[in-house]
Amino acid sequence: MFCIKAYGHIFRLHYNHYKNSRIMKYFKLKKYLPRSFFGRTLLIIILPIIVLEAIVGFAFIQRYFEQVTNQLAKSTVLQMNYVLDRYENTNSDAKEFFLKEMEKKFDIKLTIVPEKSNIDFFQKHPYDFSGITLIKILKNDVPSIEHIDLKSNGVVTIFTSLPNKSYFKFEIERERFTASNPHQLLVLMVLLTIILGFLLLMVLRNQIKPIKTLASVAEAFGKGQSVSYKPTGSIEIRKAGSAFLEMRKRLERQIEQRTQMLSGVSHDLRTPLTRLKLALALKEDDIETKEMLKDILVMQNILDEFLEFSKNQKTEKVKEISLIDLYEFLKNNNKNLKETLIWQLSSKNHERKVHLRPNNLLRALSNLIENAVFYGSQIKISVIEKKTRLLIHIEDDGPGIPPEKVKDAVKPFVRLDNSRNLNKPHGVGLGLSIASDLIKIHGGNLNLKKSQDLGGLKASLTLPL
């Protein structure tokens, strides 16, 4: 029974996640959402507050102003109806005097006009919400009303028809119908929302800062830099930071053990190899001795590759260097292949600074160039600056690598078939692996594919800027 409930709960979670993803995809909301954790958290907190304040504020304001407008308008409508009734019952000789008397008594401007100025029943601004209630009251309570104008600044103009086909024009101040300061509550709500948002912004920044610090330390470790870090923030973030530190210690210990093992084995094997080499040198120079010396040279080459692979590649410090200086540094260190290599630089800003380990990058590039020179006769090297990354392409016209073997080519101790062995002759399959490791500690990648220009292999180095 417990298992059935557990599976049912898991099914509901998956179904809700699937349904929410379908809704997001249907309305195409995902591309409009903030991409950072800080932005999304701020949106989750601020958006409900704004929506709630808008709904409550609109409902409250609508009801409040409807009641205030209703009370004020009813009082003014009584005065208007009083004026209309008295005017119709006043003698024609005394009507002008009557209008002046009513103007002073009720503070209303009264005019008799032969025709109304507009054929529409009412005129108002779209944002004038209290005007809706006012128009409804005037239409129901004022007899013979013909036109209402709410667009005049601070004045409401009302036309009513008279029996002699003329019109009674009322000009009344707007504040006698509606509240005089309807914007104060809105300003207060907006001000409180801004203050609350500012406080939330400061709190969220302090909460997000430990996450950003942990991310930057993890990114630096991926590039081969061991940055000092102390977990801070909430309990969950502290646990994640402590777990990262433990993981980093274990990885560093494993790397150190691997390095010591490979280095120790290589050094220990050098001594007997040297003795064998000396012993063979003292023997007669015959065919068998030459073959044995060749085998010893092969073994020595293998040990050299083991030592290079076991070197701690993090020892070189990161340096700041301009693109043009980096280009010249790489080019000058391959002068012995000047006639074979074709160099190209594509950069908008030659003085743009990059942070990397020049010697490690040179070693990786040298491995790739040596492989290209061994299997090809024409090699092109392109250095291309992009907005956020630096691309270095090494292309040759050799036999290339079959697509199904590209992933295996960068694995350590993997040797391809004789059609294209990308490592040094008699090697153990560490050439590309060393190059790939050196590029990864810069936070970059090594990709192998077919060259469209030369037809051979194209090794692409991608480095972040």
Side-chain angles (χ1 to χ4, degrees), residues 53-71:
E53 284 192 353
I55 295 173
V56 173
F58 180 78
F60 174 77
I61 290 170
Q62 183 70 17
R63 186 172 180 181
Y64 170 76
F65 285 119
E66 188 174 349
Q67 291 176 352
V68 172
T69 303
N70 187 52
Q71 293 175 3

Side-chain angles (χ1 to χ4, degrees), residues 81-115:
N81 288 333
Y82 174 79
V83 171
L84 287 171
D85 291 340
R86 288 286 305 275
Y87 181 79
E88 292 179 359
N89 297 324
T90 304
N91 295 329
S92 57
D93 296 336
K95 285 185 176 181
E96 186 176 349
F97 175 78
F98 171 75
L99 292 177
K100 290 181 180 179
E101 184 183 358
M102 291 297 103
E103 284 183 347
K104 291 180 181 179
K105 184 177 181 178
F106 297 123
D107 193 19
I108 300 174
K109 187 176 180 181
L110 304 171
T111 313
I112 305 298
V113 295
E115 59 182 12

Side-chain angles (χ1 to χ4, degrees), residues 129-401:
F129 298 109
S130 61
I132 300 172
T133 304
L134 177 58
I135 292 170
K136 187 186 297 183
I137 294 171
L138 291 174
K139 183 179 179 181
N140 294 331
D141 296 350
V142 179
S144 305
I145 190 167
E146 296 289 337
H147 177 69
I148 305 169
D149 184 7
L150 303 179
K151 284 190 173 181
S152 302
N153 293 328
V155 177
V156 178
T157 305
I158 303 168
F159 289 86
T160 61
S161 61
L162 296 172
N164 59 358
K165 296 184 179 181
S166 60
Y167 295 92
F168 211 128
K169 181 181 179 182
F170 293 86
E171 292 179 274
I172 308 171
E173 293 181 358
R174 179 63 186 266
E175 63 183 12
R176 294 183 61 177
F177 288 102
T178 56
S180 58
N181 296 313
H183 62 281
Q184 288 183 352
L185 184 60
L186 292 173
V187 171
L188 181 61
M189 288 178 60
V190 172
L191 185 62
L192 288 174
T193 304
I194 292 173
I195 294 173
L196 182 61
F198 181 73
L199 292 175
L200 287 172
L201 189 68
M202 293 195 306
V203 173
L204 275 177
R205 281 189 179 277
N206 290 331
Q207 295 299 316
I208 300 296
K209 189 176 179 181
I211 300 176
K212 288 185 175 180
T213 304
L214 177 59
S216 62
V217 171
E219 184 180 3
F221 182 64
K223 295 179 181 180
Q225 304 171 24
S226 185
V227 181
S228 61
Y229 168 69
K230 182 180 179 181
T232 57
S234 62
I235 296 175
E236 293 80 6
I237 300 173
R238 287 173 182 267
K239 284 183 178 179
S242 300
F244 166 76
L245 290 176
E246 290 297 323
M247 179 194 69
R248 188 172 70 175
K249 287 180 183 178
R250 287 196 298 269
L251 288 175
E252 288 176 343
R253 187 164 56 248
Q254 289 174 2
I255 292 171
E256 185 179 358
Q257 289 173 354
R258 184 199 69 174
T259 302
Q260 290 177 351
M261 181 189 70
L262 291 176
S263 180
V265 169
S266 301
H267 280 291
D268 290 344
L269 289 176
R270 276 179 176 272
T271 303
L273 278 178
T274 304
R275 287 201 299 265
L276 287 172
K277 193 175 180 180
L278 288 173
L280 290 173
L282 295 175
K283 290 184 66 176
E284 296 181 0
D285 192 11
D286 54 8
I287 298 175
E288 185 179 356
T289 303
K290 290 180 180 179
E291 291 296 328
M292 292 178 69
L293 283 172
K294 286 182 181 180
D295 292 337
I296 290 174
L297 289 175
V298 170
M299 293 179 67
Q300 196 165 8
N301 184 34
I302 293 172
L303 289 177
D304 290 339
E305 289 195 20
F306 266 110
L307 284 172
E308 188 177 2
F309 184 70
S310 64
K311 283 181 181 177
N312 189 354
Q313 298 156 350
K314 302 178 185 178
T315 54
E316 187 184 0
K317 293 183 179 179
V318 177
K319 297 179 181 178
E320 185 181 72
I321 185 172
S322 65
L323 285 177
I324 188 64
D325 290 340
L326 175 64
Y327 176 76
E328 294 297 331
F329 172 76
L330 297 175
K331 190 175 180 180
N332 292 334
N333 280 275
N334 289 278
K335 280 185 176 181
N336 55 331
L337 302 170
K338 186 177 180 181
E339 297 180 356
T340 310
L341 304 182
I342 302 172
W343 290 83
Q344 293 180 353
L345 175 62
S346 175
S347 172
K348 294 181 180 179
N349 181 13
H350 288 359
E351 298 301 323
R352 184 176 180 180
K353 301 296 183 180
V354 294
H355 298 83
L356 43 78
R357 299 174 176 85
N359 291 322
N360 281 352
L361 181 61
L362 176 64
R363 193 190 310 171
L365 198 65
S366 297
N367 281 1
L368 297 172
I369 291 174
E370 287 177 8
N371 288 327
V373 169
F374 185 80
Y375 290 100
S377 58
Q378 186 179 0
I379 296 93
K380 183 173 72 173
I381 303 175
S382 307
V383 181
I384 304 170
E385 176 202 4
K386 295 291 184 180
K387 188 176 181 180
T388 58
R389 53 205 171 106
L390 179 67
L391 304 178
I392 302 177
H393 302 305
I394 300 100
E395 303 177 64
D396 63 61
D397 58 349
I401 301 178

Side-chain angles (χ1 to χ4, degrees), residues 16-33:
N16 291 333
H17 174 74
Y18 171 76
K19 184 171 66 174
N20 292 335
S21 63
R22 288 291 299 272
I23 292 172
M24 295 287 286
K25 186 176 181 181
Y26 178 76
F27 290 103
K28 297 181 179 179
L29 297 176
K30 193 171 183 180
K31 63 180 180 180
Y32 299 109
L33 293 175

